[in-house]
C-alpha cells in the first residue's frame, strides 16, 4: 500500500520531534538520578561518621570494641530515623560483621572499596556497590564506610551505612512520570502545530492542484484552478490552467475531425451491410447447392415448408430409381406413394417434427422404380434457407446390414446349439468310456501283477503300454467329467480351512519327478504371513497341478519355474455388479503367481487359453523327447483350473509378451483367491462369490 505525501511528512515530523524530546528528557532523568544518588550518599556518609564518632568515644574510655553493647541498637535507631537507609553495619577490617541493624545483613559481601579523598577536616569514606540477596529478593546497594580508629590512630573496624537502588528508583518514579507527561504534552502540541501548518500551506494547495489535474485528465478542460497562497504552488496552478486551455482547443479540433470521420464511416457501414447481405444470400445458396450436388454417399431429399420436393441429389436418383425431374415439385405424399412406403401418416408426422427442430431417425421399407424391396434408414432434420424452414431427409441403404445382422444372429444360435451338443457329448463320452476303460485297466493290472511270470516278456511289455495308455485315457476322462460337472454347476466343494503355502509345497513335491526329468529349477517365494483361506483342498491341488503341469510342458529343459504368494487388498463389489457401481469395498485376496521361462503365449491366444479343447504351442520344439510331456493333452487342464477358481470366487489370468520359441519370453499365470469367499460347505451355488 503506497503512503501519501501528507502521511510521509507527518510521520517524519513526528519521528524528529519524538527523538529530540525523548533524548533531552532521558538526559535530564539521568542527571536527576545522579543527584539523588549523591544526596543519599552524603546522608549515608554523615550517619556513618556520626556512628564512628560514638564508637571512638567509647573506645577512648578503654573499652574493647567486641565488648561494647548497644551498638546494634544505635544502628537500628539510625535506620528508624532515616527510612531511605537500608542498613547500618559495623565490621572488622577483614569484613566480619560485629554489629548490624538487621540480622539479614550479617553476611556483608567483601569487595574492594574505592576510597574517596576527604576534604580538609573530613573523614575519608570508602564507597562500593554491593549486590545482595535479602529476604529472598536480590537487590543492589550503595555502601558508604568510614574507618573506626583506636586512641593511638590504628584502624580497628569500619562503620557501614548503605541504601538500596530501589529507594533511588522510588524517588525517581514520580519525576519520571512527570517528565513523560511533559514529553507527551510537548509532542502533541508540536505535532499539532506542524500538522496544521502542513494542512494549510502544503497539503491544501497540493489537493487543490491534484483535484484540478484529475478533472482535466478526465476530459473536463473547462476546469480552472484558483489562486494559491504559496508562490511556487500558485505558479504551478497558472501553468496547469494554460495547459488546460490548450487541451480544450485541441479537443474541439479532434471532435470536429471525428464527426467528419463518423459520417464517412456510417456511409461505409451502410454499403458494407448491403454487400454482406448479398454475400450471405449468395453463400447460403452456394452451400445449399454444394450439399445437394456433391457426390454424397447417401440419398438426400429437401422438402419445403409446403411439403413439396425442392431438391434431390444424384444418389437419390440412383437410390429410388427415379430421375430428379420426376421427383422435384411432387407433394411429399405422392413421393411416398411412388416409393410404396407403408404407414404414410407416421412419415408425415416425422417430417413435421423435423421441421419443428427435432432430429428424427427412423427405419422403413420402400420399393425402387424397377422393383425390389429395400430397407432404408431415414435421418430427418431442419435447415434454414433465408426465412424459410426446410426439411433435409437423408436415406441410407441398410438392406445389406440387416441381412448381415440376421446371419450373425442365426450363426450365434447355431454356435450355441453346437456348444450345448459338445457339452452333452462330454458327459455322454465320459460316461460310456468309463466302463470299458475300467475293464481294460483291471485286466491289464491282473496280467502285469498276478500273471507276469506266465506271459511272454514281449506280450508283457505290450500289456504295460496298454495299461499306461489306459491310465492317460482315464485322466482325460476324469478331466472331461470335471469339465462337464463345472459347466452344469454340479461340482461339489468340500470347504475347509487351508494353509495355501503348504498346499503349494505338496503340489510341487508331487511333480518333483517331472521337474528332475526336465532338469528344471523350481523357485518358491512364499509369504509365510498369509492367513488361512476357506476352500476345497483337493480341487485347489488339482488347480495347482494343472497350472504347474502346463508350465513344465511349455518350458524348455533346464528352464526355471517360480511360484510366489502374496496378500493384497482389492476393491470389489457384489457378484455381477459393474466395476464402477457404488457399494464396492476392499477385500483381502491371496495371489499365487506361477512364472516360467517357456515359449510364451501370443496375445490373441491369451484370451482363449482357458477355453475347452484349446491348446497352444508346439511341445516338440523345446522338449528333450525323453519324457511323457512330449505328447499334447486334451486341452482341458486350464479350463478346469478356471472353473475351480471361479467356484472359489477368485480370478485367473495369464500375462506374456508373446510367443517366441527361440528367445523364450515366458508366461505368468496369476490366481486370486478371496480369504473369505462366503461359501457354505457343500454348496453348488457359487454365483454369490466375490468377483
Amino acid at each position: 500500500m503506497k503512503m501519501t505525501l501528507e502521511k510521509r511528512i507527518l510521520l517524519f515530523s513526528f519521528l524528529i520531534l519524538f527523538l529530540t524530546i525523548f533524548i533531552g528528557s532521558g538526559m535530564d532523568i539521568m542527571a536527576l538520578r545522579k543527584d539523588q544518588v549523591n544526596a543519599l550518599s552524603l546522608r549515608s556518609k554523615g550517619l556513618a561518621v556520626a556512628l564512628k564518632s560514638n564508637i571512638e568515644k567509647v573506645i577512648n574510655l578503654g573499652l574493647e570494641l567486641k565488648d561494647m553493647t548497644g551498638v546494634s541498637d544505635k544502628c537500628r535507631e539510625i535506620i528508624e530515623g532515616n527510612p531511605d537507609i537500608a542498613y547500618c553495619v559495623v565490621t572488622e577490617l577483614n569484613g566480619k560483621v560485629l554489629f548490624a541493624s538487621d540480622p539479614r545483613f550479617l553476611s556483608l559481601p567483601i569487595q574492594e572499596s574505592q576510597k574517596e579523598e576527604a576534604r580538609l577536616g573530613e573523614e575519608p569514606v570508602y564507597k562500593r556497590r554491593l549486590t545482595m540477596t535479602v529476604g529472598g529478593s536480590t537487590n543492589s546497594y550503595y555502601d558508604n564506610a568510614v574507618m573506626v580508629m583506636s586512641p593511638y590512630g590504628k584502624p580497628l573496624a569500619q562503620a557501614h551505612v548503605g541504601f538500596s537502588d530501589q529507594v533511588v528508583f522510588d524517588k525517581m518514579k514520580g519525576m519520571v512520570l512527570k517528565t513523560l507527561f511533559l514529553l507527551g504534552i510537548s509532542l502533541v502540541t508540536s505535532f499539532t502545530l506542524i500538522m496544521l501548518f502542513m494542512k494549510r500551506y502544503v497539503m491544501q494547495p497540493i489537493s487543490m492542484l491534484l483535484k484540478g489535474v484529475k478533472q482535466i485528465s478526465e476530459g473536463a478542460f473547462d476546469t480552472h484552478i484558483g489562486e494559491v497562497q504559496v508562490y511556487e504552488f500558485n505558479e504551478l496552478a497558472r501553468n496547469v490552467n494554460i495547459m488546460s486551455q490548450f487541451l480544450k482547443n485541441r479537443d474541439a479540433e479532434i471532435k470536429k475531425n471525428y464527426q467528419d470521420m463518423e459520417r464517412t464511416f456510417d456511409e461505409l457501414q451502410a454499403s458494407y451491410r448491403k454487400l454482406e447481405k448479398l454475400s450471405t444470400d449468395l453463400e447460403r445458396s452456394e452451400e445449399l447447392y454444394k450439399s445437394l450436388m456433391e457426390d454424397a454417399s447417401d440419398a438426400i431429399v429437401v422438402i419445403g415448408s409446403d411439403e413439396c420436393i425442392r431438391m434431390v441429389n444424384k444418389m437419390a436418383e440412383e437410390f429410388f430409381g427415379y430421375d430428379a425431374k420426376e421427383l422435384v415439385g411432387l407433394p411429399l405424399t405422392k413421393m411416398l406413394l411412388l416409393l410404396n412406403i407403408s404407414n404414410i401418416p407416421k412419415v408425415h408426422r416425422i417430417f413435421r417434427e423435423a421441421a419443428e427442430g427435432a432430429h428424427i431417425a427412423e427405419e422403413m421399407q420402400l420399393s425402387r422404380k424397377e422393383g425390389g424391396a429395400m430397407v432404408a434408414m431415414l435421418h430427418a432434420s431442419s435447415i434454414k434457407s433465408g426465412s424459410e424452414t426446410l426439411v433435409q431427409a437423408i436415406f441410407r441403404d441398410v438392406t445389406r446390414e440387416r441381412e448381415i445382422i440376421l446371419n450373425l444372429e442365426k450363426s450365434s444360435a447355431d454356435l450355441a446349439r453346437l456348444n450345448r451338443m459338445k457339452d452333452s457329448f462330454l458327459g455322454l463320452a465320459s460316461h460310456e468310456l468309463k466302463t470299458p476303460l475300467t475293464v481294460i485297466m483291471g485286466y491289464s493290472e491282473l496280467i502285469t501283477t498276478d500273471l507276469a511270470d506266465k506271459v511272454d516278456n514281449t506280450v508283457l511289455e505290450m500289456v504295460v503300454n496298454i495299461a499306461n495308455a489306459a491310465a492317460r485315457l482315464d485322466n482325460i476322462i476324469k478331466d472331461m467329467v470335471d469339465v462337464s460337472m463345472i459347466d452344469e454347476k454340479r461340482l461339489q466343494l468340500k470347504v475347509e480351512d487351508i494353509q495355501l503355502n503348504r498346499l503349494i509345497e505338496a503340489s510341487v513335491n508331487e511333480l518333483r519327478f517331472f521337474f528332475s526329468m526336465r532338469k528344471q529349477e523350481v523357485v518358491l517365494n512364499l509369504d509365510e504371513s498369509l492367513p488361512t483361506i476357506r476352500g476345497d483342498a483337493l480341487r485347489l491341488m488339482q488347480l495347482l497341478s494343472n497350472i504347474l503341469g502346463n508350465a513344465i510342458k511349455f518350458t524348455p529343459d533346464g528352464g526355471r519355474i517360480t511360484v510366489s504368494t502374496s496378500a493384497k487388498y482389492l476393491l470389489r463389489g457384489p457378484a455381477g455388479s459393474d466395476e464402477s457401481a457404488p457399494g464396492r469395498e476392499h477385500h483381502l485376496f491371496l495371489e499365487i503367481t506361477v512364472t516360467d521361462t517357456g515359449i510364451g503365449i501370443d496375445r490373441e491366444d491369451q484370451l482363449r487359453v482357458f477355453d475347452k479343447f484349446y491348446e497352444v504351442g508346439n511341445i516338440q520344439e523345446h522338449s528333450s523327447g525323453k519324457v511323457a510331456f512330449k505328447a499334447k493333452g486334451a486341452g482341458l487342464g486350464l479350463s478346469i483350473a478356471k472353473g475351480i477358481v471361479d467356484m472359489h470366487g477368485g480370478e485367473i489370468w495369464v500375462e506374456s509378451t508373446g510367443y517366441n520359441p527361440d528367445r523364450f519370453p515366458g508366461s505368468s499365470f496369476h490366481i486370486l483367491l478371496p480369504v473369505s469367499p462366503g461359501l457354505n460347505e457343500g454348496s453348488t451355488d457359487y454365483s454369490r462369490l466375490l468377483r
Side-chain angles (χ1 to χ4, degrees):
M1 181 178 175
K2 295 183 178 179
M3 294 181 63
T4 61
L5 177 63
E6 181 181 6
K7 290 182 179 179
R8 292 175 185 271
I9 294 175
L10 292 177
L11 179 62
F12 180 77
S13 303
F14 178 82
L15 290 175
I16 294 298
L17 285 172
F18 179 81
L19 290 175
T20 302
I21 297 174
F22 179 80
I23 292 172
S25 301
M27 295 178 66
D28 292 339
I29 291 171
M30 291 175 62
L32 182 61
R33 184 180 186 283
K34 185 176 180 181
D35 292 339
Q36 289 291 336
V37 171
N38 290 336
L40 289 173
S41 295
L42 288 175
R43 189 190 305 176
S44 300
K45 176 183 175 182
L47 294 173
V49 170
L51 178 62
K52 169 216 180 238
S53 300
N54 292 332
I55 294 173
E56 287 181 347
K57 288 178 182 180
V58 176
I59 291 174
N60 290 335
L61 295 176
L63 190 64
E64 290 289 334
L65 181 61
K66 296 180 180 180
D67 298 332
M68 289 184 182
T69 58
V71 177
S72 297
D73 295 334
K74 185 66 178 176
C75 288
R76 279 192 289 273
E77 290 178 5
I78 292 173
I79 298 301
E80 291 172 358
N82 299 274
D84 296 334
I85 303 303
Y87 63 85
C88 176
V89 177
V90 178
T91 65
E92 292 181 349
L93 296 178
N94 59 5
K96 182 180 179 181
V97 177
L98 297 175
F99 308 99
S101 61
D102 194 323
R104 295 178 299 173
F105 296 94
L106 290 177
S107 58
L108 201 66
I110 300 174
Q111 293 183 0
E112 184 176 351
S113 303
Q114 181 182 359
K115 182 177 179 181
E116 178 183 318
E117 294 293 334
R119 290 190 294 271
L120 186 63
E122 291 183 354
E123 294 290 336
V125 179
Y126 297 85
K127 292 184 176 181
R128 60 180 177 175
R129 189 82 175 267
L130 302 178
T131 301
M132 292 185 290
T133 301
V134 178
S137 61
T138 303
N139 205 350
S140 180
Y141 297 85
Y142 292 90
D143 181 72
N144 293 274
V146 295
M147 197 67 68
V148 178
M149 310 297 288
S150 68
Y152 307 102
K154 182 180 179 180
L156 294 177
Q158 284 185 333
H160 299 265
V161 177
F163 57 93
S164 172
D165 239 346
Q166 185 64 35
V167 174
V168 178
F169 176 79
D170 292 340
K171 289 182 174 293
M172 289 290 297
K173 187 186 297 183
M175 299 297 294
V176 170
L177 293 176
K178 181 179 179 182
T179 302
L180 292 176
F181 177 76
L182 293 175
L183 168 64
I185 295 296
S186 302
L187 181 62
V188 171
T189 303
S190 303
F191 184 75
T192 301
L193 292 175
I194 292 174
M195 186 172 64
L196 292 175
F197 176 82
M198 288 292 302
K199 286 280 188 182
R200 181 173 179 81
Y201 296 103
V202 178
M203 298 313 302
Q204 187 174 351
I206 290 177
S207 298
M208 185 184 299
L209 288 169
L210 181 61
K211 180 180 178 181
V213 171
K214 186 176 180 181
Q215 290 176 349
I216 293 171
S217 67
E218 292 174 351
F221 301 122
D222 293 329
T223 302
H224 180 78
I225 301 176
E227 186 176 357
V228 184
Q229 296 180 359
V230 182
Y231 174 77
E232 291 80 4
F233 290 139
N234 189 57
E235 286 296 309
L236 180 60
R238 187 173 63 81
N239 288 309
V240 170
N241 290 332
I242 294 172
M243 180 187 69
S244 174
Q245 187 63 35
F246 173 78
L247 291 174
K248 178 181 178 182
N249 297 333
R250 187 172 181 180
D251 181 68
E253 185 178 354
I254 291 174
K255 284 183 178 179
K256 182 177 179 299
N257 295 333
Y258 177 78
Q259 289 172 355
D260 295 337
M261 186 184 297
E262 192 174 20
R263 282 194 300 271
T264 304
F265 177 77
D266 290 338
E267 294 173 359
L268 290 173
Q269 193 174 28
S271 301
Y272 175 78
R273 280 197 293 267
K274 292 179 181 179
L275 290 173
E276 188 178 26
K277 186 175 183 302
L278 293 174
S279 176
T280 302
D281 294 337
L282 181 62
E283 185 178 357
R284 185 182 298 111
S285 300
E286 185 180 0
E287 288 177 355
L288 183 60
Y289 174 81
K290 286 182 179 180
S291 65
L292 292 174
M293 294 305 161
E294 286 178 354
D295 291 329
S297 59
D298 297 324
I300 302 175
V301 179
V302 177
I303 298 96
S305 57
D306 56 355
E307 294 190 354
C308 290
I309 308 302
R310 294 289 181 87
M311 294 181 184
V312 293
N313 67 345
K314 292 181 180 179
M315 185 56 65
E317 295 178 359
E318 297 178 8
F319 193 80
F320 301 133
Y322 294 93
D323 293 334
K325 60 184 179 181
E326 296 180 78
L327 297 176
V328 174
L330 286 178
L332 176 61
T333 304
K334 193 168 184 179
M335 187 192 78
L336 297 178
L337 291 172
L338 285 177
L339 299 177
N340 197 21
I341 295 176
S342 60
N343 200 351
I344 293 178
K346 179 181 179 182
V347 179
H348 270 287
R349 186 174 66 254
I350 289 174
F351 281 97
R352 282 196 299 272
E353 292 176 358
E356 293 172 358
H359 182 84
I360 307 298
E362 186 75 21
E363 188 176 293
M364 60 182 61
Q365 188 169 353
L366 52 86
S367 300
R368 295 168 56 87
K369 180 179 181 181
E370 60 271 14
M374 62 188 308
V375 180
M377 176 61 72
L378 168 64
H379 292 273
S381 59
S382 63
I383 57 174
K384 285 286 187 179
S385 178
S387 59
E388 185 180 11
T389 300
L390 307 177
V391 175
Q392 178 177 268
I394 300 174
F395 293 87
R396 177 173 297 170
D397 186 3
V398 294
T399 307
R400 181 62 178 166
E401 297 176 8
R402 290 295 169 267
E403 291 177 356
I404 293 173
I405 292 174
L406 291 175
N407 291 334
L408 288 175
E409 291 177 352
K410 182 179 178 183
S411 299
S412 177
D414 292 340
L415 288 174
R417 182 173 56 83
L418 289 174
N419 191 48
R420 288 193 298 271
M421 290 175 63
K422 181 182 65 175
D423 293 339
S424 177
F425 169 74
L426 281 177
L428 180 62
S430 60
H431 178 73
E432 294 298 329
L433 291 175
K434 204 167 187 182
T435 301
L437 185 61
T438 303
V439 175
I440 293 172
M441 293 178 65
Y443 281 110
S444 298
E445 185 179 0
L446 179 63
I447 294 172
T448 55
T449 54
D450 297 343
L451 303 177
D453 54 345
K454 300 177 181 179
V455 179
D456 185 68
N457 290 334
T458 303
V459 176
L460 183 62
E461 185 177 352
M462 294 179 182
V463 174
V464 170
N465 290 333
I466 292 173
N468 293 335
R472 288 197 297 273
L473 182 58
D474 183 57
N475 290 331
I476 293 174
I477 291 174
K478 288 179 180 177
D479 288 344
M480 293 170 63
V481 172
D482 289 342
V483 168
S484 178
M485 293 181 68
I486 289 173
D487 288 341
E488 297 176 5
K489 300 182 181 181
R490 293 187 295 105
L491 188 64
Q492 300 289 327
L493 294 184
K494 297 180 180 179
V495 181
E496 57 184 335
D497 290 332
I498 298 171
Q499 289 285 346
L500 193 59
N501 289 341
R502 305 291 82 79
L503 205 66
I504 292 172
E505 291 172 352
S507 298
V508 171
N509 288 332
E510 281 189 359
L511 299 174
R512 187 71 68 178
F513 170 75
F514 301 106
F515 287 121
S516 62
M517 289 294 292
R518 298 292 302 272
K519 297 183 176 58
Q520 292 170 341
E521 179 187 3
V522 183
V523 180
L524 297 181
N525 296 325
L526 305 181
D527 185 356
E528 294 299 333
S529 63
L530 296 182
T532 59
I533 65 171
R534 297 283 292 170
D536 189 323
L538 184 61
R539 292 301 176 182
L540 291 178
M541 282 281 289
Q542 184 181 5
L543 159 70
L544 294 170
S545 297
N546 288 350
I547 298 298
L548 290 172
N550 190 72
I552 295 172
K553 285 167 59 176
F554 294 101
T555 301
D557 297 348
R560 184 175 68 256
I561 298 173
T562 304
V563 184
S564 306
T565 59
S566 62
K568 56 178 62 177
Y569 279 94
L570 299 176
L571 193 62
R572 292 292 186 271
S577 65
D578 187 10
E579 289 295 322
S580 60
R584 303 174 70 209
E585 299 178 353
H586 283 89
H587 296 274
L588 181 60
F589 285 79
L590 303 188
E591 182 177 20
I592 307 170
T593 305
V594 179
T595 304
D596 59 53
T597 57
I599 58 177
I601 305 174
D602 278 338
R603 294 189 181 276
E604 295 80 6
D605 293 331
Q606 290 176 25
L607 300 176
R608 301 185 56 194
V609 73
F610 297 103
D611 293 345
K612 293 187 288 290
F613 303 109
Y614 190 81
E615 185 128 357
V616 297
N618 191 353
I619 307 170
Q620 285 84 347
E621 293 179 354
H622 56 268
S623 174
S624 63
K626 298 180 180 180
V627 293
F629 284 99
K630 184 174 180 179
K632 277 180 171 281
L636 297 175
L638 293 182
S639 177
I640 294 173
K642 186 178 187 310
I644 294 173
V645 171
D646 289 342
M647 292 188 68
H648 282 82
E651 298 176 18
I652 183 170
W653 71 95
V654 63
E655 295 175 358
S656 178
T657 57
Y659 172 77
N660 192 327
D662 299 323
R663 299 180 59 185
F664 300 109
S667 306
S668 293
F669 281 82
H670 297 265
I671 303 168
L672 280 179
L673 296 174
V675 172
S676 301
L679 274 177
N680 294 322
E681 292 195 18
S683 174
T684 59
D685 180 13
Y686 53 89
S687 61
R688 301 180 294 103
L689 301 179
L690 295 175
R691 301 292 297 179

